[in-house]
Amino acid sequence: MKSTYLNQKSIVEINNLYHYFGAKSLCKPILLNINLDLKPKETVILTGPSGSGKTTLLTLIGGLRSVQAGSLRFLGQELLGANQNQLVNIRRQIGYIFQGHNLLEFLTVRQNVQMSLELDKTISERTAKLMAEEMLHAVKLGSHINYYPQQLSGGQKQRVAIARALVSRPQLFLADEPTAALDGKTGRDVILLMRKLALERGAAILIVTHDRRILDSYNDRGRSTNGINYHRTIRIEDGRLYNQR
């Protein structure tokens, strides 16, 4: 039986997307005829060898790079031809989490999370503080609100990064190698938490990973062996996208 999210409108719609690096005789194709939809409450794993185009695709979807050819729509808005102001507005609606955490060491845990709300002038400082604290409680760090990043473990830092990415209630969550620096149990807990919070908010998740603990988490009957369930796993190789499951 199909899940209800499959009948909902796509958050991301990509059709015939191409991307190139360089110019004229030095022009090199990076992405070739990419077609992909991401729907509400869907979790998609993207894998592939180094240099295959994973990060390029992630940055295009996240509005961090300009679309060159083809169509890429986020919540119905076309990114091809979008100006910098439009891309900035799109980025504000997307949550990002990366391997390096990117936490500011001179700010407390709450202040790091609250930063994500500061560009929204409709949210008061008091409300932003309360939202940051609520999200930190959601990631089981309510007792660490006034800690600094150097006082946290790797898994705790990653949970702060999740809180920062989700506090603004984005419709899309992009994660680039979120478990690479974590041990097996901590990595599993981080992914499960990420999925739980995104599902509660109706967001889509795209996770780029090389982590074999995630990629090998299904047995030969297609059942999860570690409690983490994904809707799809796709692979990119030589700039082309392939569905795996």
Side-chain angles (χ1 to χ4, degrees), residues 230-243:
Y230 309 114
H231 295 108
R232 279 186 289 157
T233 299
I234 55 179
R235 179 175 177 82
I236 190 167
E237 193 162 348
D238 296 328
R240 297 185 183 276
L241 206 59
Y242 302 90
N243 286 315

Side-chain angles (χ1 to χ4, degrees), residues 122-186:
T122 66
I123 300 176
S124 69
E125 183 177 352
R126 180 176 180 277
T127 299
K129 180 180 178 180
L130 290 173
M131 290 174 66
E133 291 179 357
E134 178 185 7
M135 184 54 64
L136 285 166
H137 280 286
V139 300
K140 312 300 184 186
L141 287 175
S143 61
H144 293 65
I145 286 173
N146 294 316
Y147 281 44
Y148 287 87
Q150 61 267 30
Q151 297 174 286
L152 304 178
S153 67
Q156 289 172 330
K157 289 179 181 178
Q158 205 68 314
R159 281 191 275 159
V160 175
I162 292 173
R164 182 183 57 190
L166 284 174
V167 71
S168 59
R169 299 184 180 275
Q171 290 296 295
L172 177 63
F173 193 21
L174 300 177
D176 194 358
E177 300 287 356
T179 63
L182 304 177
D183 62 70
K185 181 182 183 304
T186 303

Side-chain angles (χ1 to χ4, degrees), residues 58-79:
L58 200 73
T59 55
L60 285 166
I61 293 173
L64 299 172
R65 196 187 299 272
S66 296
V67 176
Q68 295 175 341
S71 176
L72 196 165
R73 292 179 176 272
F74 174 71
L75 296 177
Q77 180 177 349
E78 178 60 66
L79 271 65

Side-chain angles (χ1 to χ4, degrees), residues 11-81:
I11 291 174
V12 174
E13 301 170 90
I14 303 175
N15 292 290
N16 305 318
L17 182 70
Y18 289 79
H19 198 79
Y20 305 88
F21 286 164
K24 296 183 178 179
S25 62
L26 298 178
C27 183
K28 178 183 178 182
I30 302 298
L31 298 176
L32 300 168
N33 194 29
I34 300 295
N35 294 278
L36 176 67
D37 283 0
L38 300 176
K39 293 179 170 59
K41 299 187 178 183
E42 182 177 26
T43 300
V44 176
I45 299 295
L46 174 62
T47 185
S50 297
S52 59
K54 298 188 304 298
T55 298
T56 300
L57 180 57
L58 200 73
T59 55
L60 285 166
I61 293 173
L64 299 172
R65 196 187 299 272
S66 296
V67 176
Q68 295 175 341
S71 176
L72 196 165
R73 292 179 176 272
F74 174 71
L75 296 177
Q77 180 177 349
E78 178 60 66
L79 271 65
L80 177 64

Side-chain angles (χ1 to χ4, degrees), residues 64 77 89 98 104 130 208:
L64 299 172
Q77 180 177 349
N89 287 331
F98 301 103
L104 296 178
L130 290 173
V208 169

